[in-house]
Amino acid sequence: MSLLAGKTVVVSGVGAGLGRQVAAAVVREGGNAVLGARTGSALAEAAAGIDPEGTRTAYRAADITDEGRCEALAALALERFGGIDAVVHVAALDSHFGGLADADFAAWRTVLDVNLLGTLRMTRACLPALRAGGGGSVVFIGTQSAIAAPTEVRQAAYAASKGALTSAMYSLARELGPDRIRVNTVLPGWMWGPPVQAYTRFTARAEGVPEEEVRARLAGRMALPDLATDGDVAEAVVFLASDRARAITGQSLLVNAGEVMR
């Protein structure tokens, strides 16, 4: 039995990496995927690759800092598939680097507006449909950095925003639980996909070593001797979006090959 047979899942932040892997996993597991991202051309490319016949996907350009765009993406799910059973929040701003000493707090506000408030805007836009369907699932994408800061890079704003989102999860799980809406968070660590691949290339060039050496150095820190991939994280997401996780809410799941355990 497919995990998401007949279910409709809204996925924000569908690009070349995790968002696309999540959307592909939704379709593979029998669901309908409603794709959102800021760039329409990227959405069209992703939808064509995931669902060439166009029967199981729909997409609309959506900036999660714009409440109206969030509502329009939720409306598309209703127009095309008649409801919403789950929403997965991949959209995020992770390109601001630095710590406290060199903090640009205007940039921090932008990060918080996207990663925390944008995710909550998109969730609220989907609430009426989730309630009308008798409940469902909300899955946040957090980060291991929120509980264990990496030594290689400083992304304090990103970590803080995702940590705040995980804290918000607890309140939402209580608030929405009576409507049978579950709220959980997946926390990826070093995830082999476009961002970590770019980091590996940059570090290899800077150090004058092969890229595989940099990857092996990262993988050597894991209990399992490899890095989790975007696809591995997507598998955890579709489980939490499915009815197999019907009794799970207010939980954070690390997908990190065992680098950090708790």
Side-chain angles (χ1 to χ4, degrees), residues 9-162:
V9 181
V10 174
V11 185
S12 72
V14 176
L18 178 58
R20 181 167 180 162
Q21 291 292 326
V22 169
V26 168
V27 171
R28 185 200 71 216
E29 291 296 334
N32 306 309
V34 180
L35 286 53
R38 289 183 299 171
T39 307
S41 58
L43 288 170
E45 180 183 351
I50 293 165
D51 177 33
E53 296 182 358
T55 59
R56 304 268 298 286
T57 58
Y59 61 88
R60 179 167 288 168
D63 183 340
I64 61 172
T65 65
D66 184 325
E67 195 154 4
R69 293 291 186 91
C70 293
E71 291 170 352
L73 185 61
L76 175 63
L78 293 174
E79 293 163 11
R80 182 68 185 277
F81 299 115
I84 298 173
D85 299 288
V87 54
V88 179
H89 299 281
V90 183
L93 179 59
D94 63 357
S95 57
H96 180 69
F97 294 88
L100 178 61
D102 57 351
D104 175 350
F105 286 125
W108 278 55
R109 288 190 189 97
T110 301
V111 173
L112 287 163
D113 191 34
V114 175
N115 297 351
L116 175 60
L117 300 180
T119 298
L120 297 179
R121 286 186 195 98
M122 191 67 242
T123 301
R124 185 164 67 178
C126 294
L127 280 182
L130 288 167
R131 285 178 169 136
S137 175
V138 177
V139 183
F140 296 154
I141 301 297
T143 177
Q144 178 179 285
S145 299
I147 62 169
T151 57
E152 293 82 2
V153 294
R154 287 198 180 113
Q155 280 185 299
Y158 178 69
S161 68
K162 291 293 192 175

Side-chain angles (χ1 to χ4, degrees), residues 16-18 94 97 190-201 230:
L18 178 58
D94 63 357
F97 294 88
W190 287 92
M191 181 174 60
W192 190 249
V196 173
Q197 289 166 350
Y199 167 82
T200 300
R201 288 193 297 272
D230 286 354

